[in-house]
DNA sequence: GACTATACGGAATCTCAGTTCCGTTTGTCG
DNA sequence: CGACAAACGGAACTGAGATTCCGTATAGTC
């Protein structure tokens, strides 16, 4: 927990047996589903049951609950990085920015564990983010939108993940009634960021 | 957890012994501090230690961790209700709204447990909110600001707690660097809500 | 000052998840 | 078709933290 796990540093190029590969996928699939639905405290036992394997099998593939979460976070951040990359291809910088924010907001609101991990397991997220150079990519998307005069100059790259996190929570907040949709919240947030 | 606790419905007018009254206060004080600092998973044992009493004493005053949290939430919502009341007294409706939002944002960011409870213990918060008619008050503060043309017409009262919750989280998010201050986030959010 | 209902303290208990272990099953290879 | 390493399943083990219990201490009262 404290010291960032060392993770099989060397090449784990071990060729898995066919059933092992199959189970690995099944576990990841169920985990993705259950964590997204229930958040970080989805239970390993339930994931195993859902995947149709024993707990032991889950643990052989992912020695720790946190390792499993790390794998899932990595997937998510790869998606985010691709979205940022795509945003940079869009001709209109402002629109590219909006598209990136929209993708991020959707992912964040659809995956409860992701938004919880962002403030309960910062180390894990930071690691996943660094692996895809998320901050740099985010910065580029933002800078382009600022250069074109679409977004306020005082916003910094680090604000983006924070704002997206906030959005994730605001939307989930069920303290009062039907609650706002993520689109509406995003719209308000973007309005506040426009130059 | 599921069914809203019944709570001593009748008058608990029992006169407490002097030491009991004293301890009740000490526990509440320590709990407020530790929950604010550490969030919902501050431990009862530690609260007891900090208050200088035994665990048993904590439990006599608050049969459950949740009961203790309820008491603290009630305090917080009383403060929020007073802030809303005060906002209604301010001559300029827009300014009243801003002041109310500012107070809410500050409380939310300074009390980690409060912001966590908003999405992990919705029942408890809803109860605290209803006791002070929070939604009605919030609605009045908002309506006044909308009538005067300061705030967008499409914002509804239910959005306010959601937005404030989001703010609480955005500010705590330490995934990247120094993170934004709550004032800056609030400013962006208010900018997005202006008519 | 003695009496007793209230409170107190904190060791012991309970519960719930994460994790480990080991006997059994199954792919893979010759 | 064996042989055997690789994987599997799931009961049992652990640790953490909430909650209970009960013998002891004390405020309030006569």
């Amino acid at each position: 927990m404290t010291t960032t796990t060392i993770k099989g540093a060397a090449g784990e190029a071990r060729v898995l047996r066919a059933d092992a590969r199959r189970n690995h996928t099944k576990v990841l699939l169920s985990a993705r589903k259950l964590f997204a639905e229930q958040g970080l405290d989805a239970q390993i036992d339930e994931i195993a049951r859902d995947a149709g394997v024993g707990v032991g099998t889950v643990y052989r593939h992912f020695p720790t609950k946190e390792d499993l979460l790390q794998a899932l976070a990595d997937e998510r951040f790869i998606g985010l990085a691709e979205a940022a990359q795509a945003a940079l291809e869009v001709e209109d910088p402002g629109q590219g920015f909006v598209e990136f924010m929209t993708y991020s907001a959707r992912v964040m609101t659809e995956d409860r564990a992701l938004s919880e991990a962002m403030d309960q397991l910062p180390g894990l997220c930071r690691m996943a983010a660094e692996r895809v150079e998320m901050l740099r990519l985010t910065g580029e998307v933002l800078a382009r939108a600022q250069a074109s005069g679409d977004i306020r100059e005082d916003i910094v790259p680090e604000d983006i993940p924070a704002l997206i996190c906030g959005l994730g929570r605001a939307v989930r907040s069920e303290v009062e009634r039907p609650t706002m949709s993520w689109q509406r919240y995003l719209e308000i947030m973007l309005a506040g960021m426009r130059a």
Side-chain angles (χ1 to χ4, degrees), chain A:
Chain A
M1 278 299 187
T2 336
T3 29
T4 313
T5 332
I6 302 180
K7 291 288 156 55
E12 330 222 330
R14 157 73 43 57
V15 180
L16 292 173
R17 228 167 68 174
D19 56 346
R21 215 171 316 119
R22 198 161 41 242
N23 283 333
H24 186 89
T25 307
K26 288 197 289 182
V27 168
L28 228 31
L29 223 62
S30 295
R32 201 179 299 149
K33 180 178 74 175
L34 293 176
F35 277 122
E37 284 172 15
Q38 309 176 13
L40 291 180
D41 39 52
Q43 294 170 215
I44 300 289
D45 290 47
E46 198 179 344
I47 290 171
R49 190 163 351 107
D50 186 274
V53 304
V55 236
T57 299
V58 174
Y59 279 96
R60 192 155 333 84
H61 290 284
F62 305 94
T64 282
K65 184 176 184 177
E66 205 174 316
D67 289 321
L68 180 48
L69 285 165
Q70 180 72 252
L72 295 171
D74 286 343
E75 290 184 347
R76 284 276 124 88
F77 273 84
I78 287 174
L80 286 165
E82 287 170 356
Q85 206 67 65
L88 290 172
E89 312 284 283
V90 177
E91 332 71 71
D92 177 7
Q95 160 133 28
F97 182 76
V98 171
E99 284 176 16
F100 171 62
M101 292 296 276
T102 303
Y103 177 87
S104 306
R106 183 156 44 71
V107 169
M108 189 62 79
T109 55
E110 283 174 355
D111 187 340
R112 193 163 159 196
L114 179 61
S115 68
E116 288 180 8
M118 293 291 278
D119 69 31
Q120 283 175 56
L121 301 169
L124 186 152
C125 290
R126 196 171 303 122
M127 173 141 293
E130 275 166 14
R131 282 183 184 147
V132 295
E133 297 193 272
M134 203 61 221
L135 192 57
R136 179 179 64 72
L137 287 170
T138 304
E140 286 177 23
V141 175
L142 172 63
R144 228 166 60 103
Q146 288 176 317
S148 70
D150 290 308
I151 298 295
R152 292 163 49 160
E153 288 293 343
D154 65 339
I155 307 287
V156 295
E158 288 81 6
D159 290 338
I160 307 299
L163 288 164
I164 293 292
C165 272
L167 186 149
R169 175 161 201 163
V171 172
R172 192 162 352 99
S173 161
E174 43 168 293
V175 174
E176 296 297 351
R177 307 303 166 78
T179 311
M180 64 206 313
S181 71
W182 64 268
Q183 283 94 340
R184 220 149 80 64
Y185 182 107
L186 176 60
E187 196 257 298
I188 290 176
M189 204 167 80
L190 287 171
M193 298 173 83
R194 294 229 163 73

